[in-house]
Amino acid sequence: MSVPTIAVMVPSQLVAYTAGATRVAAAGATVAEVLEDLDRQFPGLKFRVIDEQDRVRRHMRVYVGPERVADLRRGVSAGEELLIFGALSGG
Amino acid sequence: MSKAVQLLVGTRKGAWIYRSDADRAAWRVQGPIFLGHIVNHLVLDPRDGKTLMMAAKTGHLGPTIYRSTDGGETWAEAARPPAFPRAEGDRARAVDHTFWLSPGHADEPGVWWAGTSPPGLFVSRDHGDTWEGVAGFNDHPMYWNWCPEDGGTPDGALLNQVVIDPREPAHMYIATSTGGVFETLDRGATWAPLNRNVRADFFPDPYPEYGQDAHYLALSPAAPDRLWQQNHCGIYRLDRPSDVWERIGEAMPPEIGDIGFTILAHPRDADTAWVLPMDGTEVWPRTSPGGRPAVYRTRDAGRTWERQDGGLPDDGQAWFTVKRQAFGADAQHPVGLYFGATNGEVWMSADEGETWRQIARHLPEIYSVVAAPL
């Protein structure tokens, strides 16, 4: 089975990594793999979102479609979309 | 050598660089750099005179390190910023922010040290591009005693300083907000507490072996066996090889007290140091005592202190705080002193603290001020 390529929505906080792009594509069968591929394309991006214990950082949010993701092992399928948000982080 | 100075200012919302003329009279500003990023420390590498290292994060994004070799015009992100090893369970640590950066010893170009929150010691041997944890401290059998999870500041427990003996790169000190001061003689492989006679009045035993809150540690460049410490509980001096600190803050005026965040050693006179007292009474406002900011100087190793407030606000309505790494000195004759305040003002003295003038205002809350040759 081929590894799906899915659309990723990049928040404003991360466009410095993507040369301004807010929608990019990345490949992977799980959220973790998609994030790894994103990091290959845009070095450094993943660590700003996911800490060294594979936890989504406190003020970031990761969704697959409408579903909020906490466990990066969640599988993804072709046609799904990964959305990354900068959540509320105070003043 | 040029007499011009650059001030590297890190704030809660970005960094700024101020560059002086040869008289330290006129200042040009560059910035904001990384507007909106939380910059805990911005440091120049004295070994090459040009590399800038910045500890940054944002409200949303995780912590990282940026480097510039062109005076802050362009920046490169570290390929591997400080991060703890993978672990399981509730003791799986993640770096929240890098708080402190130290260039390594003069004989070790390319080496940098970093202190983080939660407390961690990290080293880079490739000019700050990749960082690794120093297991001798981070995985020390006593780590969770020295750095309990519920310790520390409102922004988290800190390994807030790394100080290197200029005579011996393997000899280092670190300061923490949860365990006090620690010393290594073998480049970080083994560590021992160095807190004798330093008070921790928030414990049943006020003089524990460790557990103190070491706000700031300064090594005297003129006499590297002399350490100055501004602690949560007073001002101290230690002359090695003794391991017993002396509370020199007892000589401060009682109405001012000896609480503060920072202490500065004179670059050439081993008996001279400056502190910036803050109100540590009752609920700990941590503001300028009486609303009247002042620097206090000792010129006799802490036996006596003199107030230096010329030019500082004197109307009793100045309530700022000066944080740990927001007080710096240049190495000119006379020494220039610089501090940044929580209200976004930068003040300088070109005469070793006698008179002060404001050189910037309206910046975000200032976290660090480093003075370096330009």
Side-chain angles (χ1 to χ4, degrees), chain B residues 270-332:
Chain B
D271 288 337
T272 295
W274 294 268
V275 292
L276 264 157
M278 65 188 188
D279 186 345
T281 61
E282 297 186 18
V283 298
W284 282 70
R286 297 180 176 82
T287 48
S288 310
R292 290 185 172 81
V295 169
Y296 278 75
R297 174 173 66 177
T298 180
R299 290 194 282 186
D300 52 14
R303 279 176 281 280
T304 61
W305 297 88
E306 60 184 313
R307 183 179 177 93
Q308 295 182 302
D309 61 2
L312 289 170
D314 61 359
D315 64 354
Q317 287 296 340
W319 301 103
F320 57 65
T321 306
V322 178
K323 293 201 150 177
R324 285 173 182 73
Q325 59 267 55
F327 190 23
D330 63 31
Q332 303 294 349

Side-chain angles (χ1 to χ4, degrees), chain B residues 78-336:
Chain B
R80 196 172 75 221
F84 288 103
R86 287 295 301 272
E88 299 298 325
D90 58 5
R91 290 189 166 176
R93 290 164 289 176
V95 173
D96 179 79
H97 58 281
T98 295
F99 186 81
W100 175 267
L101 294 166
S102 275
H105 190 274
D107 293 342
E108 298 183 335
V111 172
W112 284 78
W113 300 87
T116 64
S117 175
L121 178 64
F122 293 84
V123 63
S124 170
R125 295 182 177 85
D126 56 8
H127 302 269
D129 190 37
T130 63
W131 295 79
E132 60 184 285
V134 177
F137 185 80
N138 300 350
D139 300 328
H140 194 285
M142 290 293 288
Y143 175 88
W144 294 101
N145 299 85
W146 292 346
C147 306
E149 289 164 280
D150 60 352
T153 77
D155 289 333
L158 297 170
L159 195 161
N160 45 287
Q161 264 189 294
V162 182
V163 174
I164 301 164
D165 187 334
R167 302 160 301 186
E168 170 52 60
H171 182 210
M172 302 164 52
Y173 305 94
I174 56 175
T176 70
S177 68
T178 57
V181 174
F182 298 88
E183 180 182 33
T184 179
L185 299 171
D186 52 16
R187 204 181 298 271
T190 59
W191 293 87
L194 186 62
N195 298 303
R196 284 186 64 193
N197 201 43
V198 178
R199 195 169 171 84
D201 57 17
F202 38 87
F203 288 122
D205 170 8
Y207 291 99
E209 182 187 11
Y210 54 84
Q212 288 83 349
D213 180 0
H215 283 178
Y216 204 86
L217 188 63
L219 179 148
S220 173
D225 280 328
R226 173 160 287 174
L227 296 173
W228 308 85
Q229 182 185 167
Q230 175 66 69
N231 190 276
H232 185 81
C233 301
I235 306 166
Y236 297 83
R237 194 195 75 236
L238 174 63
D239 291 320
R240 309 309 309 280
S242 169
D243 63 353
V244 181
W245 294 84
E246 180 184 349
R247 188 167 181 176
I248 55 175
E250 300 280 12
M252 286 281 288
E255 69 277 15
I256 299 297
D258 66 342
I259 304 305
F261 274 132
T262 184
I263 188 165
L264 198 55
H266 193 289
R268 292 179 296 274
D269 179 356
D271 288 337
T272 295
W274 294 268
V275 292
L276 264 157
M278 65 188 188
D279 186 345
T281 61
E282 297 186 18
V283 298
W284 282 70
R286 297 180 176 82
T287 48
S288 310
R292 290 185 172 81
V295 169
Y296 278 75
R297 174 173 66 177
T298 180
R299 290 194 282 186
D300 52 14
R303 279 176 281 280
T304 61
W305 297 88
E306 60 184 313
R307 183 179 177 93
Q308 295 182 302
D309 61 2
L312 289 170
D314 61 359
D315 64 354
Q317 287 296 340
W319 301 103
F320 57 65
T321 306
V322 178
K323 293 201 150 177
R324 285 173 182 73
Q325 59 267 55
F327 190 23
D330 63 31
Q332 303 294 349
H333 298 264
V335 174

Side-chain angles (χ1 to χ4, degrees), chain A residues 11-14 16-17 39 43-45 47-55 57-60 85-91, chain B residues 12-13 37 56-64 66 77-79 81-89 92-96:
Chain A
S12 67
Q13 289 88 352
L14 290 168
Y17 290 89
D39 204 60
L45 182 149
F47 190 65
R48 309 305 299 278
V49 181
I50 309 293
D51 74 19
E52 56 266 55
Q53 308 299 343
D54 277 349
R55 297 176 296 219
R57 292 193 184 278
R58 185 171 162 215
H59 297 294
M60 298 301 291
F85 296 100
L88 304 180
S89 73
Chain B
R12 188 163 173 264
K13 308 251 177 173
H37 292 236
K57 64 171 288 186
T58 80
H60 300 94
L61 304 177
T64 195
Y66 294 111
E77 186 173 0
F84 288 103
R86 287 295 301 272
E88 299 298 325
R93 290 164 289 176
V95 173
D96 179 79

Side-chain angles (χ1 to χ4, degrees), chain A residues 9-82:
Chain A
M9 195 193 79
V10 177
S12 67
Q13 289 88 352
L14 290 168
V15 297
Y17 290 89
T18 60
T22 55
R23 298 191 75 81
V24 300
T30 64
V31 171
E33 290 179 15
V34 171
L35 289 166
E36 283 301 321
D37 188 44
L38 272 180
D39 204 60
R40 273 190 290 275
Q41 299 180 60
F42 311 110
L45 182 149
K46 180 188 166 191
F47 190 65
R48 309 305 299 278
V49 181
I50 309 293
D51 74 19
E52 56 266 55
Q53 308 299 343
D54 277 349
R55 297 176 296 219
V56 179
R57 292 193 184 278
R58 185 171 162 215
H59 297 294
M60 298 301 291
R61 299 284 183 272
V62 177
Y63 287 77
V64 174
E67 179 191 333
R68 185 170 165 187
V69 174
D71 186 343
L72 305 186
R73 294 170 296 185
R74 183 201 189 279
V76 295
S77 313
E80 286 192 306
E81 186 179 34
L82 185 78

Side-chain angles (χ1 to χ4, degrees), chain B residues 3 5 24 267-268 328-338 349 371-372:
Chain B
K3 292 184 173 177
V5 171
R24 296 176 294 186
R268 292 179 296 274
D330 63 31
Q332 303 294 349
H333 298 264
V335 174
L337 304 181
Y338 310 85
S349 168

